[in-house]
Amino acid sequence: MKKTAWILSTWRILLKNSLNFVHYTKVYEEIPDNDGILKCLEEIGVLYEEHGNQRESTRYYEKALLLAEEIGTIYYQQSACEYLYDAYKSMGKYNKALEYHEKMLMLIDSLDKENLTEQLQKMEFTKKAIADSLIQVAKEQEVQYTHEIEVRKK
């Protein structure tokens, strides 16, 4: 992950100081993990947008969305949709912006449901662990009580 951070920061500096974006946009392909690739694709889009090239920025945001959908990461799908919404809105393409905004909201709901399901599973596991612990304590107390009765009989 340190390599990814270094590549991103170095790459961002190079792009900010250069109008020759095409030369540097292949850097993301050198990153070995999907998270790194997704971050780079979004970052490339942001840099194009900062330089006023919304059309090119949407290309990279859409690449990020496609990859995020392929690997099934809801967080990055939502993030890419948010970038696409902002880009299309700034280009005056309101129908396209609305499409990505609605998709973004759906993904946020999905992420919330996923988090809620995970929390419920954790609660269920904790409940079961506590119940098992209470059963074990009850057994230990019963053994100890039985032992005390036998010791008193002697």
Side-chain angles (χ1 to χ4, degrees):
M1 209 46 144
K2 287 183 180 182
K3 181 180 178 184
T4 301
W6 178 84
I7 290 172
L8 278 173
S9 63
T10 304
W11 178 82
R12 187 168 174 81
I13 291 167
L14 288 172
L15 278 179
K16 276 197 158 197
N17 296 320
S18 173
L19 294 178
N20 187 9
F21 290 106
V22 177
H23 177 71
Y24 297 106
T25 54
K26 296 296 178 190
V27 171
Y28 76 86
E29 293 173 353
E30 295 176 21
I31 297 175
D33 65 302
N34 286 328
D35 283 351
I37 293 170
L38 287 165
K39 288 175 188 172
C40 276
L41 289 170
E42 287 184 348
E43 199 63 30
I44 292 169
V46 167
L47 290 168
Y48 273 115
E49 201 165 350
E50 286 175 357
H51 282 83
N53 192 343
Q54 276 77 14
R55 179 177 292 150
E56 199 61 28
S57 72
T58 59
R59 247 189 58 205
Y60 284 93
Y61 297 148
E62 286 174 357
K63 283 182 182 183
L65 179 58
L66 268 170
L67 179 58
E69 288 172 343
E70 282 177 24
I71 61 176
T73 57
I74 295 173
Y75 172 79
Y76 282 113
Q77 289 177 50
Q78 181 266 319
S79 177
C81 285
E82 187 173 358
Y83 281 122
L84 284 162
Y85 162 72
D86 289 336
Y88 281 116
K89 185 177 159 191
S90 71
M91 292 167 61
K93 295 184 176 184
Y94 300 112
N95 287 336
K96 199 78 168 158
L98 179 61
E99 176 186 325
Y100 284 109
H101 184 68
E102 288 173 347
K103 187 170 185 170
M104 178 185 69
L105 293 176
M106 182 184 69
L107 289 164
I108 289 171
D109 285 346
S110 180
L111 200 54
D112 288 345
K113 286 178 187 172
E114 191 175 281
N115 289 338
L116 181 59
T117 301
E118 187 177 310
Q119 288 175 352
L120 288 172
Q121 287 172 342
K122 285 179 183 177
M123 288 172 62
E124 189 64 35
F125 176 77
T126 302
K127 179 182 168 185
K128 176 130 177 64
I130 290 171
D132 290 346
S133 294
L134 290 173
I135 290 169
Q136 185 62 33
V137 167
K139 286 179 182 178
E140 288 172 5
Q141 286 178 342
E142 185 178 336
V143 168
Q144 185 177 356
Y145 179 71
T146 304
H147 177 69
E148 286 177 6
I149 290 175
E150 287 186 23
V151 168
R152 285 184 193 160
K153 286 180 182 179
K154 291 183 181 183

